[in-house]
Amino acid sequence: TLTVNTNASVGGTGARLSGGTFTGTGTITMPSGSALTWSAGQMLSTGTTTIASGGALAITGSVGLDAGRTLLTQGTTTWTGGAIDLNPNDNGSVGTPGGILSIAAGGLLDVQTDGTVSAPFRGFGDGGTGARVDNAGTFKKTAGAGTATVSVPLNNTGTVEVQSGSLRLQQFTNNATARASAGTLLLPGATTSSNGTFTTTGTGLVDFPSGGTLTVNTNASVGGTGVRLSGGPFTGTGTITMPSGSALTW
């Protein structure tokens, strides 16, 4: 267990979290040029683990963030295997916070697996309050022929992109760019957008299937030729625009 209640730096290219715990209220930083491999174990408490610009994190197995912990990517995080659990423990009380994945502007989370990001209900009252993904940088799926699923809210003010397989977002707020250049961006749950864009290029597909609702109360653009409304409604008081050159299959 590494406990940090102020600040600490973990540098070099040989750092591994292979079953232990990062915890505490402070900030653990992987500086530029460093690399951490996280294959098992958890990051806990209200502190932050920061992958600084130029730093790298490789998530290679099933891992957990809990109790208000934030994993902040300013550099590059590559996820190649396992599941990411944002509420891995039964903390036994109502309102106990889950974990937060945050990608800063300029940061990258590269999904190269067909895993899941979730916050399962654990015991009495512990539903992982606030567990979510906040993306101001780039969240993209570049490998895996199957489906990667994010069942917690994903709040996008940057770019979400699918380049391989399918990316399934159960609770998606898109206020910037969501794009499929290959594979499928699958939106089967509640999707909201304020001045966001949904677009496709190449063989990419953006699909709103049965149960998938797009709510727009300001404006949104749905472009490209691979957008499909295959069961879910478009709703809201705003304007959804299909721009020149686009095609929607309803």
PDB file of all heavy atoms in Angstrom, residues 2-45:
ATOM      1  N   LEU A   2       0.590   2.158  -0.937  1.00  0.00           N
ATOM      2  CA  LEU A   2       1.229   3.466  -0.947  1.00  0.00           C
ATOM      3  C   LEU A   2       0.196   4.489  -0.509  1.00  0.00           C
ATOM      4  O   LEU A   2      -0.815   4.687  -1.191  1.00  0.00           O
ATOM      5  CB  LEU A   2       1.749   3.811  -2.345  1.00  0.00           C
ATOM      6  CG  LEU A   2       2.284   5.242  -2.538  1.00  0.00           C
ATOM      7  CD1 LEU A   2       3.464   5.527  -1.620  1.00  0.00           C
ATOM      8  CD2 LEU A   2       2.660   5.487  -3.999  1.00  0.00           C
ATOM      9  N   THR A   3       0.430   5.128   0.652  1.00  0.00           N
ATOM     10  CA  THR A   3      -0.482   6.143   1.178  1.00  0.00           C
ATOM     11  C   THR A   3       0.158   7.515   1.039  1.00  0.00           C
ATOM     12  O   THR A   3       1.255   7.747   1.549  1.00  0.00           O
ATOM     13  CB  THR A   3      -0.810   5.877   2.655  1.00  0.00           C
ATOM     14  OG1 THR A   3      -1.394   4.567   2.785  1.00  0.00           O
ATOM     15  CG2 THR A   3      -1.797   6.912   3.185  1.00  0.00           C
ATOM     16  N   VAL A   4      -0.533   8.415   0.336  1.00  0.00           N
ATOM     17  CA  VAL A   4      -0.027   9.772   0.112  1.00  0.00           C
ATOM     18  C   VAL A   4      -1.118  10.758   0.515  1.00  0.00           C
ATOM     19  O   VAL A   4      -2.206  10.761  -0.073  1.00  0.00           O
ATOM     20  CB  VAL A   4       0.365   9.985  -1.362  1.00  0.00           C
ATOM     21  CG1 VAL A   4       0.763  11.436  -1.604  1.00  0.00           C
ATOM     22  CG2 VAL A   4       1.507   9.053  -1.751  1.00  0.00           C
ATOM     23  N   ASN A   5      -0.838  11.595   1.511  1.00  0.00           N
ATOM     24  CA  ASN A   5      -1.808  12.601   1.955  1.00  0.00           C
ATOM     25  C   ASN A   5      -1.382  14.015   1.589  1.00  0.00           C
ATOM     26  O   ASN A   5      -2.096  14.974   1.897  1.00  0.00           O
ATOM     27  CB  ASN A   5      -2.026  12.488   3.461  1.00  0.00           C
ATOM     28  CG  ASN A   5      -2.793  11.225   3.823  1.00  0.00           C
ATOM     29  OD1 ASN A   5      -3.730  10.844   3.134  1.00  0.00           O
ATOM     30  ND2 ASN A   5      -2.371  10.552   4.883  1.00  0.00           N
ATOM     31  N   THR A   6      -0.222  14.157   0.953  1.00  0.00           N
ATOM     32  CA  THR A   6       0.205  15.459   0.413  1.00  0.00           C
ATOM     33  C   THR A   6       0.463  15.260  -1.081  1.00  0.00           C
ATOM     34  O   THR A   6      -0.471  15.233  -1.867  1.00  0.00           O
ATOM     35  CB  THR A   6       1.432  15.995   1.157  1.00  0.00           C
ATOM     36  OG1 THR A   6       2.457  14.978   1.174  1.00  0.00           O
ATOM     37  CG2 THR A   6       1.082  16.377   2.591  1.00  0.00           C
ATOM     38  N   ASN A   7       1.727  15.101  -1.465  1.00  0.00           N
ATOM     39  CA  ASN A   7       2.060  14.869  -2.864  1.00  0.00           C
ATOM     40  C   ASN A   7       3.235  13.909  -2.955  1.00  0.00           C
ATOM     41  O   ASN A   7       4.106  13.887  -2.076  1.00  0.00           O
ATOM     42  CB  ASN A   7       2.433  16.186  -3.570  1.00  0.00           C
ATOM     43  CG  ASN A   7       1.291  17.180  -3.577  1.00  0.00           C
ATOM     44  OD1 ASN A   7       0.305  17.001  -4.267  1.00  0.00           O
ATOM     45  ND2 ASN A   7       1.414  18.230  -2.779  1.00  0.00           N
ATOM     46  N   ALA A   8       3.253  13.102  -4.025  1.00  0.00           N
ATOM     47  CA  ALA A   8       4.367  12.201  -4.275  1.00  0.00           C
ATOM     48  C   ALA A   8       4.506  12.001  -5.769  1.00  0.00           C
ATOM     49  O   ALA A   8       3.532  12.090  -6.526  1.00  0.00           O
ATOM     50  CB  ALA A   8       4.167  10.870  -3.576  1.00  0.00           C
ATOM     51  N   SER A   9       5.733  11.710  -6.201  1.00  0.00           N
ATOM     52  CA  SER A   9       6.020  11.468  -7.610  1.00  0.00           C
ATOM     53  C   SER A   9       6.552  10.047  -7.763  1.00  0.00           C
ATOM     54  O   SER A   9       7.389   9.598  -6.980  1.00  0.00           O
ATOM     55  CB  SER A   9       7.047  12.471  -8.125  1.00  0.00           C
ATOM     56  OG  SER A   9       7.404  12.203  -9.468  1.00  0.00           O
ATOM     57  N   VAL A  10       6.031   9.334  -8.768  1.00  0.00           N
ATOM     58  CA  VAL A  10       6.492   7.977  -9.060  1.00  0.00           C
ATOM     59  C   VAL A  10       7.039   8.002 -10.481  1.00  0.00           C
ATOM     60  O   VAL A  10       6.283   8.023 -11.452  1.00  0.00           O
ATOM     61  CB  VAL A  10       5.350   6.950  -8.928  1.00  0.00           C
ATOM     62  CG1 VAL A  10       5.850   5.550  -9.248  1.00  0.00           C
ATOM     63  CG2 VAL A  10       4.745   6.994  -7.526  1.00  0.00           C
ATOM     64  N   GLY A  11       8.367   8.048 -10.609  1.00  0.00           N
ATOM     65  CA  GLY A  11       8.986   8.230 -11.913  1.00  0.00           C
ATOM     66  C   GLY A  11       9.622   6.966 -12.447  1.00  0.00           C
ATOM     67  O   GLY A  11       9.545   5.890 -11.845  1.00  0.00           O
ATOM     68  N   GLY A  12      10.278   7.083 -13.603  1.00  0.00           N
ATOM     69  CA  GLY A  12      10.899   5.944 -14.257  1.00  0.00           C
ATOM     70  C   GLY A  12       9.903   5.166 -15.095  1.00  0.00           C
ATOM     71  O   GLY A  12       8.724   5.487 -15.166  1.00  0.00           O
ATOM     72  N   THR A  13      10.379   4.099 -15.718  1.00  0.00           N
ATOM     73  CA  THR A  13       9.534   3.321 -16.629  1.00  0.00           C
ATOM     74  C   THR A  13       9.248   1.925 -16.090  1.00  0.00           C
ATOM     75  O   THR A  13       8.664   1.103 -16.796  1.00  0.00           O
ATOM     76  CB  THR A  13      10.204   3.199 -18.007  1.00  0.00           C
ATOM     77  OG1 THR A  13      11.505   2.594 -17.846  1.00  0.00           O
ATOM     78  CG2 THR A  13      10.377   4.565 -18.646  1.00  0.00           C
ATOM     79  N   GLY A  14       9.616   1.651 -14.849  1.00  0.00           N
ATOM     80  CA  GLY A  14       9.443   0.303 -14.311  1.00  0.00           C
ATOM     81  C   GLY A  14       8.466   0.220 -13.161  1.00  0.00           C
ATOM     82  O   GLY A  14       8.488  -0.754 -12.410  1.00  0.00           O
ATOM     83  N   ALA A  15       7.605   1.219 -12.991  1.00  0.00           N
ATOM     84  CA  ALA A  15       6.650   1.189 -11.883  1.00  0.00           C
ATOM     85  C   ALA A  15       5.478   0.265 -12.209  1.00  0.00           C
ATOM     86  O   ALA A  15       4.957   0.281 -13.323  1.00  0.00           O
ATOM     87  CB  ALA A  15       6.148   2.593 -11.583  1.00  0.00           C
ATOM     88  N   ARG A  16       5.071  -0.529 -11.192  1.00  0.00           N
ATOM     89  CA  ARG A  16       3.972  -1.470 -11.384  1.00  0.00           C
ATOM     90  C   ARG A  16       3.039  -1.438 -10.177  1.00  0.00           C
ATOM     91  O   ARG A  16       3.496  -1.433  -9.038  1.00  0.00           O
ATOM     92  CB  ARG A  16       4.482  -2.901 -11.544  1.00  0.00           C
ATOM     93  CG  ARG A  16       4.977  -3.279 -12.886  1.00  0.00           C
ATOM     94  CD  ARG A  16       5.141  -4.782 -13.010  1.00  0.00           C
ATOM     95  NE  ARG A  16       5.820  -5.393 -11.867  1.00  0.00           N
ATOM     96  CZ  ARG A  16       6.283  -6.641 -11.874  1.00  0.00           C
ATOM     97  NH1 ARG A  16       6.125  -7.401 -12.936  1.00  0.00           N
ATOM     98  NH2 ARG A  16       6.876  -7.129 -10.819  1.00  0.00           N
ATOM     99  N   LEU A  17       1.732  -1.433 -10.448  1.00  0.00           N
ATOM    100  CA  LEU A  17       0.718  -1.671  -9.427  1.00  0.00           C
ATOM    101  C   LEU A  17       0.077  -2.989  -9.811  1.00  0.00           C
ATOM    102  O   LEU A  17      -0.758  -3.054 -10.714  1.00  0.00           O
ATOM    103  CB  LEU A  17      -0.300  -0.536  -9.381  1.00  0.00           C
ATOM    104  CG  LEU A  17      -1.402  -0.647  -8.315  1.00  0.00           C
ATOM    105  CD1 LEU A  17      -0.813  -0.755  -6.914  1.00  0.00           C
ATOM    106  CD2 LEU A  17      -2.357   0.543  -8.391  1.00  0.00           C
ATOM    107  N   SER A  18       0.482  -4.075  -9.118  1.00  0.00           N
ATOM    108  CA  SER A  18       0.116  -5.422  -9.564  1.00  0.00           C
ATOM    109  C   SER A  18      -0.741  -6.155  -8.543  1.00  0.00           C
ATOM    110  O   SER A  18      -0.847  -7.381  -8.594  1.00  0.00           O
ATOM    111  CB  SER A  18       1.383  -6.240  -9.852  1.00  0.00           C
ATOM    112  OG  SER A  18       2.219  -6.290  -8.699  1.00  0.00           O
ATOM    113  N   GLY A  19      -1.362  -5.416  -7.638  1.00  0.00           N
ATOM    114  CA  GLY A  19      -2.228  -6.050  -6.662  1.00  0.00           C
ATOM    115  C   GLY A  19      -2.370  -5.241  -5.389  1.00  0.00           C
ATOM    116  O   GLY A  19      -3.231  -5.516  -4.559  1.00  0.00           O
ATOM    117  N   GLY A  20      -1.546  -4.240  -5.231  1.00  0.00           N
ATOM    118  CA  GLY A  20      -1.570  -3.402  -4.044  1.00  0.00           C
ATOM    119  C   GLY A  20      -2.545  -2.247  -4.180  1.00  0.00           C
ATOM    120  O   GLY A  20      -3.448  -2.252  -5.018  1.00  0.00           O
ATOM    121  N   THR A  21      -2.315  -1.201  -3.365  1.00  0.00           N
ATOM    122  CA  THR A  21      -3.261  -0.094  -3.277  1.00  0.00           C
ATOM    123  C   THR A  21      -2.525   1.236  -3.248  1.00  0.00           C
ATOM    124  O   THR A  21      -1.532   1.390  -2.532  1.00  0.00           O
ATOM    125  CB  THR A  21      -4.111  -0.211  -2.001  1.00  0.00           C
ATOM    126  OG1 THR A  21      -4.790  -1.468  -2.001  1.00  0.00           O
ATOM    127  CG2 THR A  21      -5.133   0.906  -1.913  1.00  0.00           C
ATOM    128  N   PHE A  22      -3.006   2.199  -4.036  1.00  0.00           N
ATOM    129  CA  PHE A  22      -2.661   3.604  -3.871  1.00  0.00           C
ATOM    130  C   PHE A  22      -3.815   4.238  -3.109  1.00  0.00           C
ATOM    131  O   PHE A  22      -4.983   4.073  -3.492  1.00  0.00           O
ATOM    132  CB  PHE A  22      -2.514   4.309  -5.230  1.00  0.00           C
ATOM    133  CG  PHE A  22      -1.253   4.004  -5.993  1.00  0.00           C
ATOM    134  CD1 PHE A  22      -0.305   3.130  -5.516  1.00  0.00           C
ATOM    135  CD2 PHE A  22      -1.021   4.621  -7.219  1.00  0.00           C
ATOM    136  CE1 PHE A  22       0.857   2.854  -6.230  1.00  0.00           C
ATOM    137  CE2 PHE A  22       0.136   4.359  -7.944  1.00  0.00           C
ATOM    138  CZ  PHE A  22       1.069   3.471  -7.442  1.00  0.00           C
ATOM    139  N   THR A  23      -3.527   4.986  -2.044  1.00  0.00           N
ATOM    140  CA  THR A  23      -4.595   5.588  -1.267  1.00  0.00           C
ATOM    141  C   THR A  23      -4.125   6.895  -0.645  1.00  0.00           C
ATOM    142  O   THR A  23      -2.963   7.281  -0.783  1.00  0.00           O
ATOM    143  CB  THR A  23      -5.099   4.606  -0.185  1.00  0.00           C
ATOM    144  OG1 THR A  23      -6.268   5.136   0.438  1.00  0.00           O
ATOM    145  CG2 THR A  23      -4.035   4.346   0.874  1.00  0.00           C
ATOM    146  N   GLY A  24      -5.051   7.587   0.004  1.00  0.00           N
ATOM    147  CA  GLY A  24      -4.733   8.854   0.648  1.00  0.00           C
ATOM    148  C   GLY A  24      -5.433  10.019  -0.019  1.00  0.00           C
ATOM    149  O   GLY A  24      -6.065   9.887  -1.071  1.00  0.00           O
ATOM    150  N   THR A  25      -5.304  11.181   0.597  1.00  0.00           N
ATOM    151  CA  THR A  25      -5.999  12.379   0.132  1.00  0.00           C
ATOM    152  C   THR A  25      -5.135  13.259  -0.759  1.00  0.00           C
ATOM    153  O   THR A  25      -5.603  14.291  -1.245  1.00  0.00           O
ATOM    154  CB  THR A  25      -6.482  13.204   1.331  1.00  0.00           C
ATOM    155  OG1 THR A  25      -5.348  13.556   2.144  1.00  0.00           O
ATOM    156  CG2 THR A  25      -7.470  12.411   2.180  1.00  0.00           C
ATOM    157  N   GLY A  26      -3.878  12.891  -0.957  1.00  0.00           N
ATOM    158  CA  GLY A  26      -2.971  13.706  -1.755  1.00  0.00           C
ATOM    159  C   GLY A  26      -2.947  13.298  -3.216  1.00  0.00           C
ATOM    160  O   GLY A  26      -3.815  12.556  -3.704  1.00  0.00           O
ATOM    161  N   THR A  27      -1.938  13.793  -3.936  1.00  0.00           N
ATOM    162  CA  THR A  27      -1.792  13.551  -5.371  1.00  0.00           C
ATOM    163  C   THR A  27      -0.537  12.738  -5.642  1.00  0.00           C
ATOM    164  O   THR A  27       0.562  13.106  -5.207  1.00  0.00           O
ATOM    165  CB  THR A  27      -1.720  14.876  -6.144  1.00  0.00           C
ATOM    166  OG1 THR A  27      -2.933  15.599  -5.961  1.00  0.00           O
ATOM    167  CG2 THR A  27      -1.511  14.630  -7.628  1.00  0.00           C
ATOM    168  N   ILE A  28      -0.705  11.628  -6.344  1.00  0.00           N
ATOM    169  CA  ILE A  28       0.409  10.814  -6.821  1.00  0.00           C
ATOM    170  C   ILE A  28       0.567  11.102  -8.308  1.00  0.00           C
ATOM    171  O   ILE A  28      -0.371  10.920  -9.079  1.00  0.00           O
ATOM    172  CB  ILE A  28       0.148   9.316  -6.597  1.00  0.00           C
ATOM    173  CG1 ILE A  28      -0.050   9.027  -5.099  1.00  0.00           C
ATOM    174  CG2 ILE A  28       1.291   8.475  -7.172  1.00  0.00           C
ATOM    175  CD1 ILE A  28      -0.498   7.606  -4.811  1.00  0.00           C
ATOM    176  N   THR A  29       1.737  11.572  -8.708  1.00  0.00           N
ATOM    177  CA  THR A  29       1.959  12.003 -10.088  1.00  0.00           C
ATOM    178  C   THR A  29       2.973  11.112 -10.785  1.00  0.00           C
ATOM    179  O   THR A  29       4.044  10.828 -10.240  1.00  0.00           O
ATOM    180  CB  THR A  29       2.451  13.457 -10.128  1.00  0.00           C
ATOM    181  OG1 THR A  29       1.472  14.312  -9.539  1.00  0.00           O
ATOM    182  CG2 THR A  29       2.710  13.918 -11.558  1.00  0.00           C
ATOM    183  N   MET A  30       2.618  10.672 -11.990  1.00  0.00           N
ATOM    184  CA  MET A  30       3.553  10.027 -12.901  1.00  0.00           C
ATOM    185  C   MET A  30       4.043  11.108 -13.858  1.00  0.00           C
ATOM    186  O   MET A  30       3.298  11.560 -14.731  1.00  0.00           O
ATOM    187  CB  MET A  30       2.871   8.912 -13.687  1.00  0.00           C
ATOM    188  CG  MET A  30       2.211   7.832 -12.830  1.00  0.00           C
ATOM    189  SD  MET A  30       3.374   6.892 -11.840  1.00  0.00           S
ATOM    190  CE  MET A  30       4.433   6.202 -13.111  1.00  0.00           C
ATOM    191  N   PRO A  31       5.295  11.579 -13.689  1.00  0.00           N
ATOM    192  CA  PRO A  31       5.762  12.732 -14.471  1.00  0.00           C
ATOM    193  C   PRO A  31       6.071  12.372 -15.916  1.00  0.00           C
ATOM    194  O   PRO A  31       6.035  11.208 -16.316  1.00  0.00           O
ATOM    195  CB  PRO A  31       7.028  13.154 -13.726  1.00  0.00           C
ATOM    196  CG  PRO A  31       7.514  11.908 -13.060  1.00  0.00           C
ATOM    197  CD  PRO A  31       6.287  11.110 -12.718  1.00  0.00           C
ATOM    198  N   SER A  32       6.378  13.391 -16.715  1.00  0.00           N
ATOM    199  CA  SER A  32       6.748  13.191 -18.111  1.00  0.00           C
ATOM    200  C   SER A  32       7.900  12.200 -18.218  1.00  0.00           C
ATOM    201  O   SER A  32       8.868  12.266 -17.463  1.00  0.00           O
ATOM    202  CB  SER A  32       7.154  14.531 -18.734  1.00  0.00           C
ATOM    203  OG  SER A  32       7.547  14.342 -20.076  1.00  0.00           O
ATOM    204  N   GLY A  33       7.786  11.257 -19.140  1.00  0.00           N
ATOM    205  CA  GLY A  33       8.820  10.253 -19.350  1.00  0.00           C
ATOM    206  C   GLY A  33       8.643   9.003 -18.511  1.00  0.00           C
ATOM    207  O   GLY A  33       9.369   8.029 -18.696  1.00  0.00           O
ATOM    208  N   SER A  34       7.680   9.012 -17.596  1.00  0.00           N
ATOM    209  CA  SER A  34       7.461   7.855 -16.731  1.00  0.00           C
ATOM    210  C   SER A  34       6.405   6.935 -17.324  1.00  0.00           C
ATOM    211  O   SER A  34       5.638   7.321 -18.205  1.00  0.00           O
ATOM    212  CB  SER A  34       7.041   8.308 -15.334  1.00  0.00           C
ATOM    213  OG  SER A  34       5.784   8.965 -15.393  1.00  0.00           O
ATOM    214  N   ALA A  35       6.358   5.691 -16.807  1.00  0.00           N
ATOM    215  CA  ALA A  35       5.367   4.715 -17.273  1.00  0.00           C
ATOM    216  C   ALA A  35       4.988   3.820 -16.113  1.00  0.00           C
ATOM    217  O   ALA A  35       5.852   3.244 -15.450  1.00  0.00           O
ATOM    218  CB  ALA A  35       5.925   3.890 -18.424  1.00  0.00           C
ATOM    219  N   LEU A  36       3.690   3.695 -15.869  1.00  0.00           N
ATOM    220  CA  LEU A  36       3.137   2.825 -14.834  1.00  0.00           C
ATOM    221  C   LEU A  36       2.308   1.745 -15.496  1.00  0.00           C
ATOM    222  O   LEU A  36       1.461   2.041 -16.348  1.00  0.00           O
ATOM    223  CB  LEU A  36       2.264   3.630 -13.872  1.00  0.00           C
ATOM    224  CG  LEU A  36       1.412   2.843 -12.855  1.00  0.00           C
ATOM    225  CD1 LEU A  36       2.306   2.127 -11.852  1.00  0.00           C
ATOM    226  CD2 LEU A  36       0.432   3.771 -12.136  1.00  0.00           C
ATOM    227  N   THR A  37       2.530   0.482 -15.107  1.00  0.00           N
ATOM    228  CA  THR A  37       1.701  -0.624 -15.545  1.00  0.00           C
ATOM    229  C   THR A  37       0.793  -1.034 -14.392  1.00  0.00           C
ATOM    230  O   THR A  37       1.265  -1.353 -13.303  1.00  0.00           O
ATOM    231  CB  THR A  37       2.551  -1.834 -15.985  1.00  0.00           C
ATOM    232  OG1 THR A  37       3.380  -1.448 -17.088  1.00  0.00           O
ATOM    233  CG2 THR A  37       1.672  -2.993 -16.413  1.00  0.00           C
ATOM    234  N   TRP A  38      -0.525  -1.006 -14.644  1.00  0.00           N
ATOM    235  CA  TRP A  38      -1.519  -1.337 -13.613  1.00  0.00           C
ATOM    236  C   TRP A  38      -2.240  -2.591 -14.069  1.00  0.00           C
ATOM    237  O   TRP A  38      -3.079  -2.555 -14.967  1.00  0.00           O
ATOM    238  CB  TRP A  38      -2.481  -0.170 -13.454  1.00  0.00           C
ATOM    239  CG  TRP A  38      -3.423  -0.256 -12.295  1.00  0.00           C
ATOM    240  CD1 TRP A  38      -3.391  -1.143 -11.262  1.00  0.00           C
ATOM    241  CD2 TRP A  38      -4.559   0.586 -12.062  1.00  0.00           C
ATOM    242  NE1 TRP A  38      -4.415  -0.908 -10.391  1.00  0.00           N
ATOM    243  CE2 TRP A  38      -5.165   0.147 -10.856  1.00  0.00           C
ATOM    244  CE3 TRP A  38      -5.127   1.665 -12.738  1.00  0.00           C
ATOM    245  CZ2 TRP A  38      -6.294   0.749 -10.329  1.00  0.00           C
ATOM    246  CZ3 TRP A  38      -6.259   2.267 -12.218  1.00  0.00           C
ATOM    247  CH2 TRP A  38      -6.830   1.817 -11.017  1.00  0.00           C
ATOM    248  N   SER A  39      -1.915  -3.728 -13.425  1.00  0.00           N
ATOM    249  CA  SER A  39      -2.478  -5.013 -13.832  1.00  0.00           C
ATOM    250  C   SER A  39      -3.516  -5.549 -12.856  1.00  0.00           C
ATOM    251  O   SER A  39      -4.317  -6.416 -13.212  1.00  0.00           O
ATOM    252  CB  SER A  39      -1.365  -6.052 -14.002  1.00  0.00           C
ATOM    253  OG  SER A  39      -0.643  -6.212 -12.784  1.00  0.00           O
ATOM    254  N   ALA A  40      -3.505  -5.059 -11.605  1.00  0.00           N
ATOM    255  CA  ALA A  40      -4.459  -5.485 -10.579  1.00  0.00           C
ATOM    256  C   ALA A  40      -4.335  -4.513  -9.414  1.00  0.00           C
ATOM    257  O   ALA A  40      -3.402  -3.704  -9.345  1.00  0.00           O
ATOM    258  CB  ALA A  40      -4.187  -6.919 -10.130  1.00  0.00           C
ATOM    259  N   GLY A  41      -5.297  -4.593  -8.476  1.00  0.00           N
ATOM    260  CA  GLY A  41      -5.262  -3.717  -7.317  1.00  0.00           C
ATOM    261  C   GLY A  41      -6.189  -2.530  -7.470  1.00  0.00           C
ATOM    262  O   GLY A  41      -6.934  -2.415  -8.452  1.00  0.00           O
ATOM    263  N   GLN A  42      -6.115  -1.611  -6.503  1.00  0.00           N
ATOM    264  CA  GLN A  42      -7.064  -0.509  -6.451  1.00  0.00           C
ATOM    265  C   GLN A  42      -6.379   0.816  -6.120  1.00  0.00           C
ATOM    266  O   GLN A  42      -5.311   0.847  -5.524  1.00  0.00           O
ATOM    267  CB  GLN A  42      -8.139  -0.795  -5.389  1.00  0.00           C
ATOM    268  CG  GLN A  42      -8.968  -2.020  -5.673  1.00  0.00           C
ATOM    269  CD  GLN A  42     -10.071  -2.235  -4.665  1.00  0.00           C
ATOM    270  OE1 GLN A  42     -10.347  -1.381  -3.820  1.00  0.00           O
ATOM    271  NE2 GLN A  42     -10.727  -3.379  -4.742  1.00  0.00           N
ATOM    272  N   MET A  43      -7.050   1.898  -6.516  1.00  0.00           N
ATOM    273  CA  MET A  43      -6.709   3.249  -6.101  1.00  0.00           C
ATOM    274  C   MET A  43      -7.907   3.786  -5.339  1.00  0.00           C
ATOM    275  O   MET A  43      -9.029   3.790  -5.870  1.00  0.00           O
ATOM    276  CB  MET A  43      -6.375   4.128  -7.308  1.00  0.00           C
ATOM    277  CG  MET A  43      -5.195   3.639  -8.124  1.00  0.00           C
ATOM    278  SD  MET A  43      -4.746   4.785  -9.464  1.00  0.00           S
ATOM    279  CE  MET A  43      -3.522   3.811 -10.352  1.00  0.00           C
ATOM    280  N   LEU A  44      -7.677   4.220  -4.077  1.00  0.00           N
ATOM    281  CA  LEU A  44      -8.768   4.538  -3.166  1.00  0.00           C
ATOM    282  C   LEU A  44      -8.606   5.915  -2.543  1.00  0.00           C
ATOM    283  O   LEU A  44      -7.554   6.538  -2.651  1.00  0.00           O
ATOM    284  CB  LEU A  44      -8.830   3.494  -2.042  1.00  0.00           C
ATOM    285  CG  LEU A  44      -8.940   2.028  -2.453  1.00  0.00           C
ATOM    286  CD1 LEU A  44      -8.847   1.129  -1.229  1.00  0.00           C
ATOM    287  CD2 LEU A  44     -10.234   1.767  -3.214  1.00  0.00           C
ATOM    288  N   SER A  45      -9.652   6.361  -1.857  1.00  0.00           N
ATOM    289  CA  SER A  45      -9.717   7.599  -1.088  1.00  0.00           C
ATOM    290  C   SER A  45      -9.859   8.793  -2.023  1.00  0.00           C
ATOM    291  O   SER A  45      -9.906   8.657  -3.241  1.00  0.00           O
ATOM    292  CB  SER A  45      -8.507   7.749  -0.161  1.00  0.00           C
ATOM    293  OG  SER A  45      -8.715   8.783   0.767  1.00  0.00           O
TER     294      SER A  45
END
